[in-house]
Amino acid sequence: MVPARRLLRGLLYGSRYDRVPWGQRVYVRPGERLLREAQWRWRIRRAPVTSLAEYGSELPLGEIEEFLSCMMCGESRQQPLFEPTGAGKGGNGSTWRYHVVRCPSCGFLYRNPNIRPERLGDLYSSGYSGFLTGTYAANRQRRYNLTMQAFSPVLDDGEGRRLLDFGCGVGLFLELAEQRGFDGYGVDLSPDSVAQANARLKRARAYFGAPQEVPEIAAGGFDVITLWSVLAHLPRPLEDFATFRELLAPGGVLLILTVNAQSLLLKAYGSAWSGFTKNHLMFYSADTLKTLLRRTGFEGVAYAPHYGDTVEAGTTRLFEPLRRRLRQAVEASDGGNMMRALAFADEEAIARWGDRLTIHRLRDRAAEPDGRDLTDTNLTAT
Ligand SMILES: [Zn+2]
């Protein structure tokens, strides 16, 4: 099977794409996109749809785990799609195994069984902060800057604006935020990380615990809330987003970076996809993120494509014609392996930034009695 596939690939492409990294081939090889989309549709058609009871009866349930229905639409039936395996990030070389299912009604992807919210801290026990420093730190800060640039000018100037970084880790983003003049606050579940953040920061402050438990944060009035690679880690996203909405000031925005559940790389790699990691509990696409935002009271959302870290940083060795092809493929298909989104709390936020960004509205402003859905109407430059 494998030699046959290799032979076919040789006939189709020769050695032209041999030096293109795997993560970029999916976007630059002609025909690959259509093939992966077809493969995905086939995978979904083939996967059985089972009741939650039936699904749960066949799997062992760990002490910190629980079975879930779809958090986005309430559907209890499951389509088991993936069984990712990998080496634990704790560095002890242990392997772990879990299941990712698809909601047959709305397409949401999530880990099932999931992690009980009160046991979430178990995933971030000591040692996690070590993973957040070193060369990882430099790459992270570059990624933050590129993402802020993608939504410029919203995060350009922080003077006189309150910012909350939810899941702030060791404070790498808060450091950039205070340099831009923001009045920065952070919360995190790892006490080690919070201590390291406060050692790093000058004016901004990090706190251990939930936002409601910290008076300075519970007071709200935030102009910006950021979720850097945090969304996929949340076991109760609806509750958390309702809290974010309350904490935002009029005109406030919520910035999100997360793995993209409609990524072509997910479709190509399946269970071996890089987004399936031990701590990732739920996987959002542009569509399922809209559902989450709509249900928690946000008015609009804008997306920015992600071309991959090396392309964005200008360090890729891809030749210019292929780079152009990659950009076009990302824009025309999945939006990239990571999803970057900026959510707008209210009309005031949309009015403030809407002339610079393409905003998808999340509800019908006229609130017509027949409930006509104007959800995906683009608000273009005025
Ligand atoms: Zn659903």
Side-chain angles (χ1 to χ4, degrees):
M1 188 63 192
V2 171
R5 208 183 282 174
R6 195 172 297 157
L7 183 67
L8 181 66
R9 203 168 59 217
L11 287 172
L12 276 174
Y13 303 120
S15 59
R16 220 168 314 158
Y17 300 101
D18 286 0
R19 290 169 65 189
V20 176
W22 279 108
Q24 296 179 329
R25 281 190 210 185
V26 174
Y27 295 103
V28 302
R29 279 202 303 214
E32 181 106 15
R33 221 173 88 200
L34 294 177
L35 177 77
R36 298 306 181 181
E37 296 289 358
Q39 197 181 2
W40 176 249
R41 284 192 296 273
W42 171 244
R43 186 193 280 272
I44 289 170
R45 200 176 315 160
R46 211 183 34 179
V49 175
T50 62
S51 72
L52 186 57
E54 196 183 337
Y55 177 74
S57 68
E58 287 163 15
L59 286 174
L61 190 64
E63 190 201 332
I64 67 167
E65 294 178 323
E66 63 177 356
F67 285 109
L68 292 183
S69 294
C70 175
M71 289 250 167
M72 294 306 117
C73 74
E75 170 68 73
S76 64
R77 292 174 307 154
Q78 316 272 315
Q79 252 191 317
L81 282 195
F82 303 110
E83 222 181 305
T85 56
K89 266 180 186 163
N92 54 10
S94 64
T95 56
W96 35 269
R97 195 178 198 92
Y98 59 94
H99 293 71
V100 173
V101 300
R102 175 180 180 274
C103 168
S105 293
C106 75
F108 190 45
L109 292 183
Y110 56 103
R111 173 176 170 159
N112 216 7
N114 215 279
I115 306 294
R116 305 160 76 94
E118 67 276 17
R119 299 301 297 273
L120 195 60
D122 292 28
L123 295 185
Y124 303 95
S125 49
S126 59
Y128 194 72
S129 65
F131 156 74
L132 297 174
T133 48
T135 46
Y136 180 88
N139 290 336
R140 273 286 139 145
Q141 289 195 322
R142 190 166 61 192
R143 184 180 267 191
Y144 299 146
N145 275 322
L146 289 167
T147 298
M148 288 193 281
Q149 197 180 310
F151 293 114
S152 178
V154 183
L155 292 116
D156 292 358
D157 183 6
E159 219 43 64
R161 299 167 78 194
R162 261 164 83 80
L163 178 145
L164 170 64
D165 189 23
F166 185 83
C168 65
V170 296
L172 296 174
F173 175 68
L174 283 174
E175 188 175 34
L176 295 180
E178 68 180 7
Q179 284 163 11
R180 289 187 183 211
F182 282 100
D183 183 15
Y185 297 82
V187 281
D188 203 274
L189 281 182
S190 154
D192 299 9
S193 298
V194 168
Q196 285 192 45
N198 285 325
R200 171 189 300 274
L201 298 167
K202 294 190 177 70
R203 291 189 300 124
R205 275 287 147 259
Y207 300 87
F208 172 71
Q212 300 91 327
E213 296 163 358
V214 181
E216 293 87 336
I217 293 171
F222 288 98
D223 301 288
V224 178
I225 298 179
T226 49
L227 290 182
W228 296 105
S229 302
V230 164
L231 176 54
H233 300 240
L234 303 178
R236 291 291 183 272
L238 287 160
E239 291 167 20
D240 291 326
F241 271 54
T243 301
F244 301 150
R245 180 64 190 82
E246 278 173 23
L247 292 175
L248 282 171
V253 294
L254 172 66
L255 181 69
I256 298 157
L257 175 77
T258 187
V259 291
N260 181 4
Q262 65 191 0
S263 163
L264 273 185
L265 294 177
L266 184 159
K267 292 167 184 174
Y269 292 122
S271 293
W273 181 49
S274 59
F276 291 136
T277 69
K278 181 179 153 193
N279 298 334
H280 283 174
L281 310 181
M282 301 191 186
F283 308 88
Y284 297 80
S285 66
D287 283 339
T288 49
L289 180 61
K290 279 182 189 169
T291 307
L292 174 59
L293 290 167
R294 188 184 302 125
R295 288 190 55 188
T296 49
F298 285 83
E299 288 293 333
V301 62
Y303 295 103
H306 189 263
Y307 304 103
D309 289 331
T310 60
V311 171
E312 304 216 346
T315 58
T316 179
R317 283 190 279 177
L318 213 56
F319 293 123
E320 179 48 34
L322 288 185
R323 219 180 305 165
R324 202 177 317 129
R325 196 189 291 171
L326 179 140
R327 285 179 163 272
Q328 285 164 353
V330 165
E331 285 160 17
S333 59
D334 61 352
N337 196 46
M338 299 292 291
M339 178 165 61
R340 295 195 283 210
L342 187 68
F344 300 80
D346 51 17
E347 289 302 330
E348 192 180 325
I350 292 176
R352 190 175 301 171
W353 310 109
D355 59 338
R356 317 278 193 103
L357 302 166
T358 300
I359 300 178
H360 303 265
R361 286 195 173 273
L362 298 170
R363 65 189 82 245
D364 175 3
R365 263 183 306 170
E368 290 172 347
D370 65 355
R372 197 152 53 93
D373 187 14
L374 299 178
T375 295
D376 286 328
T377 312
N378 284 2
L379 184 77
T380 44
T382 47

